């Protein structure tokens, strides 16, 4: 720490553990509250054998004696620690006995210590206007402030002892702020009031300085951010967080990946990708997930075009098209073919007849989805456009969904005409993909939010509003589409999640920004085109200087929308926000009921503002779930089936149900009967599993996948509840399964508590058990949970 030379009175300052405490910068400042600094540092220093932290130290009658008494002389202790050369001059000529008595006096009362500090300041001025050592403090040299003179307090006649430097049993005051303008004058308490003798400030917080004034910033690993890097950097800079662009050996709070969850092995913190999300939003998987919901709720899921999966359903596609044409000869449909793994418009083309599909070997190696083409889209300036909305999936359990209040509208670059054999190949007329239209000679880079080939969605809504369109209903319908789509995706996402991060194993928490591509029809009905797991977050566009030569130019429209989405996503996922709020609440508890306002310095952010986000605009992300959960929870039937599926997987990390697990599910839920033997259950498992495995792209794992389990569940529900609609059949079977499993769980719990001899019947006190009149002897019928009444409830407008 500091070594004293008794002859010359010089003190040599060397690096010390004080740096690890983060106090080196603050202890150099003059002003009030320095007694807290001494009390905080003394315990650490007293164990290093360097003499600091004792009542009287140093040898000989010369200088070099450093004093830090029990309470810590306010100015003397701080200057002794941070400005050793100045102290050596100030203490020259003082005897060891006087220094010991002074240290003891400081240990008696903090008020007497303040008086000594002022006396020492006068001695400092007389000794030659001692200045602060800027090299030790890391700050520019500053003059001492003017002080009101006070008479020094008398010393107590007791010899110093070894334990004098220990921290007294009282709350610690906070350190002075880094900004000298906000510090109160000397002789005042930390709250700006005169110090009274014999008692300390009643409003001392009792908190260490690093909890408030120097709260550590959130750390973000951006080494794998890729296309979102520029927007992410701007967002981190606006939030005043700490970025690690090349990674970090120590764990970070947030990891920002550009592609998938498997970019790196992460065992803690938060990562901006869900495992399995990339697979779930592929065109085939999304179509299958939505199709399941269309079977259950056809009216609720009519926002997704009818789809067929190629090559598996090619014959079905041909047969259904012919059947419809035979019934309505005037029907002249158009279809759009999208490769399963395609992006940015790659491989997309339009057809008028199933015979036009390009079957020459491409579908076998590259499966695709064929959909009905929306022939009557809403046009603006005679151009077709779609909407890219940004949706934050904050959590799966519980489900939390946020939608950005603004998005991007991407325009075609040729005036729209309904499809005909002559214009099917005009991609600039029919396809809104930015990556395609950027190469059109008619592409217009946006100079403002309401012009050009890429505009903000808010500018479109403003234009529609000027024509009398009900904007609230448009937003309500779009929110409904987003929530229903996420509900369709979450069941299988849960299976992926438990496979990669099983319960009880280390792993990060996940969140993800999704890109929803939505098309407005001429009647303003929103149609879901696709969901992008990795929406582009680039805030620049390519400008063609000459044929084939491009340069990147900043895009104001992209930056306005995308930076806000990333920044506010980080604000919602801030891992330290709850900690800061709880600390603030704890700080306010001792002050409840007092008239004096809370000390601004204790609750301020590092930059001195009362709220660390006060300089930022309001959050652009609006919560839509669970806010509207009551209106959509009845749709989460497949989600409940996924919970049953996960329960019987057996092996952690598995994604497919084996034959033993399926038999256990049937037995525990009491679904077998005289008409459905266990042999029939085995045949059902084999038939459905074999068919689904033949369609799967990845056939490495054998067993029943979730979608195959859902099909088997539908079959069982239709057998058991024949007279009801499908969604009520499924809901009734889920209720029955959950009921029997709850009985089993309660029985196991009672057995664990009471032992075999103390088992009581679980039917005696089970609130979910149906009455004898409601449940026949076979146990096949269970009162449903009111799903029919829920379906009949009127829909409310989402606001």
């Amino acid at each position: 720490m500091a070594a004293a030379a008794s002859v010359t009175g010089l003190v040599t300052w060397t690096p010390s553990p004080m740096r690890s405490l983060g106090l080196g910068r603050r202890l150099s400042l003059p002003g009030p509250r320095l007694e807290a600094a001494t009390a905080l540092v003394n315990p650490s220093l007293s164990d290093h054998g360097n003499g600091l932290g004792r009542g009287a130290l140093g040898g000989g009658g010369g200088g070099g004696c450093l004093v830090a008494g029990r309470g810590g002389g306010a100015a003397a202790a701080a200057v002794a620690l941070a400005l050793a050369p100045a102290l050596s001059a100030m203490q020259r000529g003082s005897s060891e006995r006087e220094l010991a008595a002074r240290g003891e006096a400081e240990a008696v009362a903090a008020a007497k210590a303040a008086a000594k500090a002022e006396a020492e300041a006068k001695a400092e001025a007389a000794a030659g206007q001692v200045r602060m050592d800027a090299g030790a403090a890391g700050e520019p040299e500053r003059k001492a402030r003017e002080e009101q003179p006070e008479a020094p307090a008398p010393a107590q006649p007791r010899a110093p002892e070894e334990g004098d430097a220990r921290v007294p049993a009282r709350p610690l005051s906070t350190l002075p702020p880094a900004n000298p303008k906000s510090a109160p004058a000397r002789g005042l308490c930390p709250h700006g009031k005169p110090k009274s003798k014999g008692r300390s400030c009643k409003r001392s917080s009792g908190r260490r300085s690093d909890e408030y004034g120097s709260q550590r910033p959130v750390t973000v690993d951006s080494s794998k951010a890729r296309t979102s890097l520029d927007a992410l950097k701007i967002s981190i800079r606006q939030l005043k967080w700490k970025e690690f662009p090349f990674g970090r050996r120590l764990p970070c709070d947030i990891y920002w990946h550009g592609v998938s969850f498997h970019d790196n092995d992460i065992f803690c913190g938060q990562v901006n990708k869900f495992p399995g999300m990339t697979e779930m939003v592929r065109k085939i998987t999304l179509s299958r997930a939505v199709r399941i919901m269309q079977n259950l709720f056809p009216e609720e899921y009519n926002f997704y075009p009818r789809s067929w999966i190629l090559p598996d359903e090619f014959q079905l596609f041909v047969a259904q098209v012919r059947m419809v044409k035979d019934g309505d000869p005037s029907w002249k449909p158009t279809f759009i073919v999208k490769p399963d793994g395609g992006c940015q418009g790659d491989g997309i083309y339009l057809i008028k007849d199933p015979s036009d599909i390009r079957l020459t070997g491409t579908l076998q190696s590259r499966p695709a989805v064929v959909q009905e083409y929306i022939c009557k889209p809403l046009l603006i300036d005679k151009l077709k456009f779609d909407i890219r909305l940004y949706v934050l999936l904050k959590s799966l359990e519980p489900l939390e969904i946020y939608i950005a209040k603004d998005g991007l509208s991407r325009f075609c670059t040729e005036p729209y005409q309904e499809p005909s054999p002559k214009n099917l190949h005009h991609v600039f007329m029919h396809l809104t993909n930015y990556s395609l239209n950027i190469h059109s000679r008619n592409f217009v880079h946006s100079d403002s939010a309401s012009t050009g080939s890429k505009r903000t969605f808010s500018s479109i809504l403003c234009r529609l509003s000027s024509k009398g369109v009900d904007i609230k209903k448009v937003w309500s319908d779009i929110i409904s589409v987003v929530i229903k789509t996420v509900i369709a995706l979450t069941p299988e996402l849960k299976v992926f999640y438990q496979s990669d991060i099983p319960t009880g194993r280390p792993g990060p928490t996940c969140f993800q920004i999704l890109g929803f591509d939505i098309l407005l029809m001429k009647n303003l009905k929103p149609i879901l085109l696709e969901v992008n797991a990795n929406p582009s977050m680039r805030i620049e566009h390519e400008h063609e200087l000459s044929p084939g030569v491009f340069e990147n130019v900043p895009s104001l429209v992209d930056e306005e929308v995308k930076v806000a989405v990333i920044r506010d996503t980080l604000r919602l996922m801030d891992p330290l926000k709850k900690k800061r709020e709880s600390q603030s609440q704890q700080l306010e508890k001792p002050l409840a009921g007092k008239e004096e306002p809370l000390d601004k310095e204790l609750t301020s952010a590092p930059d001195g503002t009362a709220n660390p986000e006060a300089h930022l605009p309001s959050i652009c992300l609006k919560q839509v779930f669970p806010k509207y959960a009551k209106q959509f929870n009845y749709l989460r039937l497949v989600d409940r089936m996924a919970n049953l599926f996960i329960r019987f997987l057996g092996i952690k990390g598995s994604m497919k149900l084996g034959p033993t697990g399926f038999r256990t599910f049937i037995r525990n839920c009491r679904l077998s009967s005289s008409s459905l033997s266990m042999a029939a259950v085995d045949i059902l498992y084999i038939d459905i599993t074999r068919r689904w495995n033949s369609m799967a792209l990845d056939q490495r794992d054998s067993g029943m996948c979730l979608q195959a389990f859902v099909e088997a569940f539908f079959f069982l529900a239709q057998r058991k509840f024949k007279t009801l609609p499908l969604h009520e059949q499924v809901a009734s079977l889920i209720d029955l399964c959950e009921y029997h499993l709850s009985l089993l769980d309660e029985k196991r719990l009672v057995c664990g508590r009471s032992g075999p001899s103390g088992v009581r019947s679980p039917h005696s006190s089970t609130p979910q058990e149906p009455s004898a009149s409601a449940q026949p002897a076979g146990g096949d019928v269970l009162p449903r949970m009111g799903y029919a009444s829920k379906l009949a409830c009127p829909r409310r407008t989402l606001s």
Side-chain angles (χ1 to χ4, degrees):
M1 287 289 297
S6 59
V7 177
T8 62
L10 297 177
V11 180
T12 304
W13 189 264
T14 59
S16 69
M18 187 177 69
R19 285 292 180 184
S20 65
L21 294 174
L23 300 174
R25 183 170 181 266
R26 289 184 177 271
L27 289 178
S28 65
L29 296 176
R33 295 199 230 171
L34 294 177
E35 66 276 11
T38 308
L40 188 61
V41 175
N42 279 348
S44 300
L45 303 182
S46 61
D47 296 332
H48 290 78
N50 53 16
L52 288 176
R54 300 182 182 178
L57 301 169
C65 301
L66 299 182
V67 179
R70 180 172 182 176
V79 178
L81 290 174
L83 308 173
L87 268 181
S88 64
M90 290 170 55
Q91 302 295 339
R92 222 176 262 129
S94 299
S95 64
E96 180 178 354
R97 182 176 181 180
E98 293 172 343
L99 293 174
R102 184 183 305 169
E104 180 61 16
E106 293 168 347
V108 175
K112 297 178 182 181
K116 288 184 178 61
E118 295 171 1
E120 289 169 358
K122 293 180 65 176
E124 175 185 88
Q129 300 294 328
V130 179
R131 301 296 178 88
M132 297 169 61
D133 183 4
E139 286 196 355
E141 185 176 351
R142 297 164 52 202
K143 295 182 179 181
R145 298 187 178 184
E146 295 182 1
E147 303 161 353
Q148 297 295 331
E150 285 189 17
Q156 298 294 328
R158 186 177 72 82
E161 297 179 0
E162 182 70 20
D164 283 351
R166 297 298 177 187
V167 178
R170 62 180 178 84
L172 296 177
S173 300
T174 55
L175 292 177
N179 185 4
K181 295 182 180 180
S182 61
R186 292 185 182 178
L188 301 179
C189 75
H191 311 288
K193 295 187 175 183
K195 293 184 178 180
S196 58
K197 295 183 180 180
R199 61 179 180 177
S200 59
C201 181
K202 293 183 179 179
R203 297 173 60 214
S204 177
S205 68
R207 307 254 176 219
R208 293 176 65 100
S209 64
D210 55 354
E211 294 183 4
Y212 293 102
S214 52
Q215 173 76 46
R216 77 167 180 86
V218 179
T219 55
V220 182
D221 184 335
S222 62
S223 58
K224 298 182 182 295
R226 302 198 182 184
T227 59
S228 61
L229 181 59
D230 292 337
L232 179 63
K233 284 181 177 294
I234 295 175
S235 301
I236 295 174
R237 188 162 59 247
Q238 292 179 357
L239 294 172
K240 301 181 182 179
W241 290 3
K242 179 68 174 178
E243 179 191 5
F244 289 88
F246 303 105
R248 188 190 189 196
R249 181 173 298 178
L250 296 176
C252 284
D253 296 312
I254 295 177
Y255 295 83
W256 196 275
H257 287 179
V259 179
S260 71
F261 175 80
H262 299 285
D263 283 351
N264 200 359
D265 292 328
I266 303 173
F267 302 101
C268 62
Q270 299 176 343
V271 62
N272 70 317
K273 300 293 178 184
F274 276 98
M277 182 65 80
T278 302
E279 292 82 355
M280 273 307 302
V281 300
R282 292 170 71 100
K283 295 174 179 61
I284 288 179
T285 317
L286 175 64
S287 296
R288 284 174 174 164
V290 175
R291 182 183 297 175
I292 290 175
M293 301 304 297
Q294 287 176 333
N295 291 334
L296 287 170
F297 306 101
E299 296 298 325
E300 299 288 348
Y301 281 82
N302 60 1
F303 57 83
Y304 190 70
R306 189 171 184 180
S307 307
W308 296 266
I309 297 170
L310 305 178
D312 298 332
E313 298 175 353
F314 176 72
Q315 296 300 329
L316 177 64
F317 170 55
V318 173
Q320 290 182 343
V321 171
R322 286 179 180 174
M323 182 178 64
V324 176
K325 282 187 174 181
D326 291 342
D328 183 7
S330 63
W331 183 54
K332 297 180 180 179
T334 302
F335 303 96
I336 183 169
V337 182
K338 304 177 181 179
D340 180 48
C343 61
Q344 299 180 345
D346 178 39
I348 297 178
Y349 60 95
L350 273 62
I351 60 173
K352 295 291 288 184
D353 190 83
S355 60
D356 297 333
I357 292 180
R358 305 166 189 171
L359 294 174
T360 56
T362 58
L363 288 178
Q364 298 300 328
S365 58
R366 195 180 186 187
V369 170
V370 56
Q371 294 179 330
E372 292 184 66
Y373 180 78
I374 306 301
C375 297
K376 296 185 180 298
L378 177 67
L379 304 180
I380 290 185
D381 299 332
K382 299 182 180 180
L383 299 174
K384 179 183 175 182
F385 69 98
D386 73 351
I387 306 162
R388 165 62 60 86
L389 286 181
Y390 298 96
V391 176
L392 170 63
L393 183 57
K394 188 173 183 283
S395 170
L396 280 181
E397 195 64 45
L399 183 60
E400 293 185 65
I401 310 171
Y402 291 77
I403 298 181
K405 296 178 182 178
D406 203 356
L408 296 174
S409 299
R410 303 166 308 178
F411 283 74
C412 289
T413 49
E414 288 185 11
Y416 179 77
Q417 299 176 4
E418 289 196 21
S420 66
K422 295 182 179 180
N423 63 25
L424 285 181
H425 62 283
H426 290 186
V427 293
F428 298 147
M429 176 188 298
H430 298 292
L431 303 184
T432 56
N433 302 74
Y434 166 78
S435 55
L436 292 177
N437 285 278
I438 187 68
H439 300 292
S440 170
R441 61 182 180 180
N442 297 325
F443 189 89
V444 179
H445 291 291
S446 303
D447 296 328
S448 66
S450 57
T451 61
S453 297
K454 184 188 289 187
R455 313 176 194 178
T456 61
F457 179 47
S458 58
S459 68
I460 302 299
L461 291 177
C462 182
R463 185 164 178 174
L464 294 177
S465 178
S466 65
K467 296 181 179 181
V469 174
D470 186 355
I471 300 303
K472 288 186 177 181
K473 186 180 185 307
V474 173
W475 257 120
S476 175
D477 293 341
I478 290 176
I479 290 173
S480 178
V481 167
V482 169
I483 294 177
K484 292 174 182 177
T485 304
V486 174
I487 286 176
L489 294 175
T490 49
E492 196 152 357
L493 281 175
K494 285 186 175 181
V495 179
F496 276 103
Y497 194 89
Q498 70 84 32
S499 175
D500 283 79
I501 313 176
T503 304
R505 294 186 184 179
T509 56
C510 301
F511 65 96
Q512 189 156 353
I513 299 174
L514 303 174
F516 275 66
D517 292 345
I518 294 176
L519 179 74
L520 289 178
M521 295 180 63
K522 192 172 183 179
N523 61 1
L524 298 177
K525 177 183 177 179
I527 298 295
L528 177 67
L529 299 180
E530 61 182 51
V531 181
N532 199 318
N534 302 305
S536 173
M537 288 294 177
R538 292 184 60 182
I539 55 175
E540 57 187 15
H541 58 74
E542 293 179 344
H543 180 67
E544 189 171 12
L545 299 177
S546 59
V549 179
F550 294 87
E551 70 170 351
N552 291 327
V553 179
S555 172
L556 299 180
V557 174
D558 286 288
E559 183 172 343
E560 177 182 344
V561 174
K562 296 176 181 178
V563 171
V565 169
I566 293 181
R567 180 195 65 226
D568 292 344
T569 295
L570 293 175
R571 291 167 71 181
L572 288 174
M573 302 306 302
D574 182 357
L576 302 182
K577 186 174 183 178
K578 290 184 178 179
K579 181 179 179 181
R580 288 194 296 266
E581 292 175 351
S582 63
Q583 288 174 346
S584 178
Q585 292 175 359
Q586 292 175 7
L587 181 64
E588 294 174 1
K589 284 181 181 179
L591 307 175
K594 295 191 176 183
E595 296 180 358
E596 297 177 358
L598 184 65
D599 183 19
K600 182 179 179 180
E601 295 174 27
L602 301 182
T603 57
S604 63
D607 60 351
T609 60
N611 181 356
E613 297 182 355
H615 65 288
L616 299 174
S618 60
I619 291 183
C620 72
L621 296 168
K622 174 184 178 180
Q623 187 190 79
V624 296
F625 201 94
K627 182 177 181 180
Y628 302 125
K630 292 182 179 180
Q631 297 168 248
F632 295 96
N633 268 339
Y634 75 95
L635 299 174
R636 303 187 67 183
L637 295 182
V638 183
D639 201 71
R640 296 169 67 191
M641 279 187 268
N643 293 335
L644 297 174
F645 178 79
I646 293 173
R647 173 168 177 153
F648 290 96
L649 283 176
I651 303 175
K652 289 184 177 181
S654 174
M655 291 187 61
K656 292 189 175 182
L657 188 65
T660 303
F662 188 71
R663 289 172 62 92
T664 304
F665 159 71
I666 296 293
R667 187 181 300 111
N668 288 358
C669 295
R670 301 183 183 181
L671 299 182
S672 60
S673 62
S674 58
S675 61
L676 183 67
S677 64
M678 294 306 295
V681 169
D682 292 338
I683 295 175
L684 174 67
Y685 175 87
I686 293 172
D687 288 345
I688 294 180
T689 300
R690 183 179 297 170
R691 183 171 65 256
W692 277 94
N693 286 343
S694 66
M695 295 187 295
L697 299 178
D698 185 1
Q699 302 180 12
R700 292 175 297 178
D701 298 331
S702 61
M704 176 179 281
C705 64
L706 175 62
Q707 292 175 333
F709 178 80
V710 170
E711 181 181 333
F713 201 93
F714 283 6
F715 173 80
L716 295 172
Q718 290 169 335
R719 283 178 59 93
K720 209 167 193 66
F721 307 99
K722 298 179 181 179
T723 60
L724 301 175
L726 179 60
H727 67 269
E728 293 191 32
Q729 294 173 346
V730 172
S732 299
L733 186 59
I734 293 175
D735 289 340
L736 180 64
C737 293
E738 291 176 345
Y739 166 69
H740 285 301
L741 292 176
S742 66
L743 295 182
L744 182 62
D745 291 340
E746 184 178 351
K747 183 176 180 180
R748 290 173 179 172
L749 180 62
V750 173
C751 290
R753 290 179 178 177
S754 305
S757 61
V759 176
R760 61 183 176 85
S761 173
H763 300 271
S764 60
S765 63
T766 303
Q768 300 179 3
E769 182 183 2
S771 62
S773 60
Q775 183 171 350
D780 288 346
V781 179
L782 183 74
R784 295 183 298 278
M785 306 300 289
Y787 284 95
S789 61
K790 290 183 180 180
L791 289 174
C793 292
R795 294 180 56 191
R796 291 184 298 169
T797 301
L798 309 182
S799 58

